[in-house]
Amino acid sequence: MKKDIHPEYHKCTVTCVTCGATFETGSTMKDIKVDTCSNCHPFYTGKQRFVANDGRIDRFNKKLAKVQDKK
């Protein structure tokens, strides 16, 4: 490696803003703050929620239900 061209690499603390969890890793930064981590992210915790978007099919089904109710 060439001397004096690489940034200083050292241990840093990563802090999750949402749940407050911390862990150590290596980085060129001294402190890292993240919004979500594996402790509080819905994908990793298994508490994932699916939000039904008001898409074309949903709109069609609502219109169809209104027409069938009138008959």
Side-chain angles (χ1 to χ4, degrees):
M1 288 195 306
K2 292 182 180 180
K3 294 185 179 202
D4 300 327
I5 64 167
H6 299 286
E8 185 179 328
Y9 188 80
H10 50 282
K11 286 187 177 181
C12 74
T13 304
V14 179
T15 306
C16 178
V17 178
T18 305
C19 68
T22 61
F23 59 93
E24 285 190 5
T25 188
S27 176
T28 57
M29 299 172 63
K30 294 188 181 196
D31 285 330
I32 299 174
K33 295 187 186 208
V34 294
D35 290 330
T36 55
C37 65
S38 61
N39 291 337
C40 61
H41 194 279
F43 180 78
Y44 296 109
T45 59
K47 297 178 183 177
Q48 202 167 7
R49 293 180 288 157
F50 294 100
V51 178
N53 294 333
D54 192 24
R56 294 171 129 189
I57 296 172
D58 293 330
R59 283 185 279 165
F60 173 77
N61 288 333
K62 286 178 185 177
K63 286 180 184 179
L64 183 64
K66 285 181 184 179
V67 170
Q68 289 178 349
D69 288 342
K70 288 182 180 180
K71 289 184 179 183

